[in-house]
Amino acid sequence: MPPRQFDGKRVRAVRRGKDLNQGELAAAVGVTAPAVAKWESGQDFPKGEKLPAIAEALGEPLDALFPHDGPADLQLLRCDAGLSVAQAAAVLGTSRVPVANAESGRRRLGDDYVSPLAAAYGVTEEALLEAQDCSFGLRPGTSGDERASAPRTVGEKINYLLEHGYVGQEAPSDEEIVRVVNDHAGEPVVAVEDIAALRAGLTTEASEVVRAGLAQALQVDVSLFQDDAEVDPAAREFLEAVRFLGSIQRGQILGLAARGNGGGLSAEMMAKINELVGELKHKLPEAPDGD
């Protein structure tokens, strides 16, 4: 689906009103006539970056022909500029990965990418950063303090997961984390002092082997411990909610949360969550009167 609302029947009606045939619209947009036919019949959708060209060819304002809900995110800015992910990456002189990761709320754009991408999208750097916040599930106008509160360093992520992922049971100690990390590595690669330094913010450096071991120890995907990768907004909300639901195996909590994405939890994950919540309802104690 494109990032804007697409109604093939409306496109067909507007095209006919402009006395254009499918082939003429296709030529203006740079696709084939059969592709336009599929769009109009609802068999397929155009790529988001094609919508500006379609609106221009039909002589209609983009927002009127293809409205969108809510504030703009990075995908919308890119598509409204008429650029594919590959074309946006070419502007940065890099692979598709940084653009795709930022759009999916997985890893923020490097500082060096903000200015050229804003220019390519025809927006200010501030607008680009606000769109990036939206891609990461943050509301527009999120303050710098609120942004900074999201766990980003390895140590902050360890602290966050230890605080939010262990309900009704004791979180692993630094010693236990070290044991799992070293067992996972097959050799001593970290000491208790190293974990303590990470958690205290005295260092932010950790090898890939250590990061993989931390993911094993805390039962999350290893990608979470990559630089600039953030705890998924859906995962944060889920972990917060679990605090009020009572005890549950930490592997289920963190394993499910870690597999969230910028678009929210998957249908399969939500089904599992609902199943777990249902199992917990009859186990939770009655709240005292007045609470």
Side-chain angles (χ1 to χ4, degrees), residues 222-246:
V222 66
S223 63
L224 181 65
F225 282 106
Q226 297 303 306
D227 290 335
D228 297 329
E230 298 187 7
V231 177
D232 185 275
R236 291 203 298 269
E237 294 174 4
F238 179 44
L239 288 172
E240 290 285 356
V242 169
R243 300 179 71 185
F244 300 98
L245 294 177

Side-chain angles (χ1 to χ4, degrees), residues 24-86:
E24 290 170 328
L25 177 58
V29 177
V31 297
T32 64
V36 173
K38 288 182 178 180
W39 298 345
E40 293 184 349
S41 65
Q43 292 179 279
D44 198 4
F45 297 97
K47 293 181 178 179
E49 61 265 25
K50 293 293 185 182
L51 299 187
I54 296 172
E56 182 178 358
L58 295 176
E60 292 287 321
L62 181 62
D63 286 333
L65 189 59
F66 306 119
H68 72 89
D69 297 324
D73 61 10
L74 286 175
Q75 184 189 16
L76 184 70
L77 291 188
R78 173 180 58 76
C79 290
D80 283 2
L83 298 176
S84 66
V85 173

Side-chain angles (χ1 to χ4, degrees), residues 53-154:
I54 296 172
E56 182 178 358
L58 295 176
E60 292 287 321
L62 181 62
D63 286 333
L65 189 59
F66 306 119
H68 72 89
D69 297 324
D73 61 10
L74 286 175
Q75 184 189 16
L76 184 70
L77 291 188
R78 173 180 58 76
C79 290
D80 283 2
L83 298 176
S84 66
V85 173
Q87 289 170 326
V91 170
L92 302 178
T94 184
S95 71
R96 297 160 48 102
V97 173
V99 176
N101 279 347
E103 288 188 4
S104 63
R106 188 177 182 85
R107 183 177 297 183
R108 288 181 178 271
L109 294 165
D111 292 341
D112 292 342
Y113 293 159
V114 172
S115 179
L117 208 56
Y121 291 174
V123 299
T124 64
E125 292 182 22
E126 180 181 4
L128 186 82
L129 292 174
E130 287 183 354
Q132 180 169 239
D133 282 344
C134 290
S135 293
F136 277 77
L138 299 175
R139 65 185 184 278
T142 299
S143 69
D145 288 344
E146 289 178 297
R147 239 183 247 115
S149 68
R152 290 195 176 91
T153 68
V154 172

Side-chain angles (χ1 to χ4, degrees), residues 163-194:
E163 178 182 354
H164 295 273
Y166 296 85
V167 181
Q169 60 181 294
E170 186 177 353
S173 65
D174 288 354
E175 289 80 4
E176 291 170 319
I177 292 175
V178 166
R179 178 183 59 77
V180 174
V181 171
N182 289 337
D183 286 349
H184 185 71
E187 61 178 328
V189 293
V190 71
V192 173
E193 294 77 12
D194 300 321

